[in-house]
Structures are given as structure tokens and as C-alpha cells.
Amino acid sequence: MADASAQVVVQPIVDLATGRVIAHEALTRPATGTVAELFAAAADVNALDLRLALAAIDACTGVPTALNVNLLPSTLVGVDDLRDQLDHAIARTGREPHTLVIELTEQEPVPDLVAAKRRCASLRNHGYAIAIDDVGNGHASLRLITALRPQTVKTDRGIVADLPDSDEAAPLIEALLLYCRRIGAQLV
């Protein structure tokens, strides 16, 4: 997918307390249409999803911060050689495993939570970091956070958009922040 039919979009992830860019998220997008349309037309969604993530890694050689790439939960558990392919990608680009963050997206439920826990543990043991994207939206549930113990919890933009003025969202974010601190995770 690393051809003219796709482009990699990179956005900074900023520490709100310091204003410092702490990571970048790289997303491979089709030149025309949407990712959802691309997935709908794919014969093998997991193979396509992994190709998109690998293309994002390849395109970000030289990005000096940690790099976040998205994966569907079904790709996490359904691609047997996932770690090997990630290892090859970081070797090609000169990255170290600890500089790559695998963001599990909220777009689909985790097909096998036990397998996902095992795969996340294996990736963490090899230096990769795990993030749960858009917590509070779609299938990114509190149960998923407690089961997978990610290093980063990314809250859905809709929940934090009205902070600090939202009487409804502020206590939820405070609770998530407390939880993340207790498990050693970062809340963004």
C-alpha cells in the first residue's frame, strides 16, 4: 500500500502539561475514498490493515519521537507473524521496539480477549508499547483497558472537548487519570 494510491498523514501527540511533542501518530490513508471503503473492498482486512501500518512505519523513518500506528483488534490476534513483521519494519527504518506504539482502534470488538491479552503481553515483552485508541467511543471499553493494560489510554475527543467546563466529563477523566496512574499508564 506504500504507493501513489496511498498517503501517510502524521499528527503530533502533545503533552498538554508541557506543550512538548512526545510522539507522532502515523496514519496511512487512501488517496481517494475512505479507509472504511478500502476495508469493505478488501479480500483480507487483516492483511490490508497490517500493510497500512507497515507503510506508515516505513514512511516515518527519521521521525525523532515515538511513533504510534493503528491496528484493528482482529489484526492483533489474527496475524500469526505480526511481531516478526513489526520487527522487520523497525529494522528497515532504524527504530527500536520501544519507539513503536501499537494503537488498538475502537472500530471493532476484540474477537478473542484471551488471545489479545497474550499478544499484547508478547509485544510488550519485546519492547513494543500498547495503546487503546478513542476510549469511550465504539468498542474501546473500560473492560478492554483492564484486560489489556495498555501503556497509553487515548480518550475520545468528544469526551474531553468541553473540559474543564463539563460537569459530566471532568469526573470521568479524573477517574481515568487515577486509574492510569495506578497501572503506570499515560492518559492522553
Side-chain angles (χ1 to χ4, degrees), residues 28-45:
T28 306
R29 297 295 181 239
T32 59
T34 66
V35 173
E37 292 167 343
L38 195 61
F39 282 160
D44 185 341
V45 170

Side-chain angles (χ1 to χ4, degrees), residues 5 17 28-29 38 45 114 142 169 172 181:
S5 66
T28 306
R29 297 295 181 239
L38 195 61
V45 170
V114 172
L142 297 177
L172 176 61
R181 283 182 180 153

Side-chain angles (χ1 to χ4, degrees), residues 2-147:
D3 56 28
S5 66
Q7 61 184 357
V8 175
V9 178
V10 180
Q11 58 192 23
I13 299 173
V14 177
D15 180 328
L16 295 179
T18 65
R20 189 173 63 90
V21 174
I22 57 172
H24 286 85
E25 181 175 9
L27 307 162
T28 306
R29 297 295 181 239
T32 59
T34 66
V35 173
E37 292 167 343
L38 195 61
F39 282 160
D44 185 341
V45 170
N46 295 334
L48 173 61
D49 186 40
L50 182 57
R51 280 188 11 239
L52 293 173
L54 296 175
I57 295 167
D58 288 340
C60 291
T61 300
V63 170
T65 64
L67 183 67
N68 293 34
V69 295
N70 289 338
L71 278 183
L72 293 167
S74 60
T75 303
L76 174 77
V77 300
V79 176
D80 292 335
D81 66 342
L82 175 65
R83 198 186 85 237
D84 290 338
Q85 291 203 45
L86 292 172
D87 287 345
H88 290 297
I90 64 167
R92 279 193 309 272
T93 60
R95 285 195 164 277
E96 295 294 327
H98 71 273
T99 68
L100 187 64
V101 180
I102 308 304
E103 281 191 29
L104 297 178
T105 68
E106 77 288 353
Q107 298 162 348
E108 66 177 24
V110 174
D112 181 341
L113 196 54
V114 172
K117 285 173 72 170
R118 276 195 307 266
R119 181 61 57 90
C120 286
S122 172
L123 289 170
R124 271 194 300 275
N125 287 339
H126 285 86
Y128 295 99
I130 305 297
I132 308 286
D133 197 17
D134 285 337
V135 169
N137 188 16
H139 297 281
S141 67
L142 297 177
R143 180 172 183 247
L144 190 61
I145 298 170
T146 59

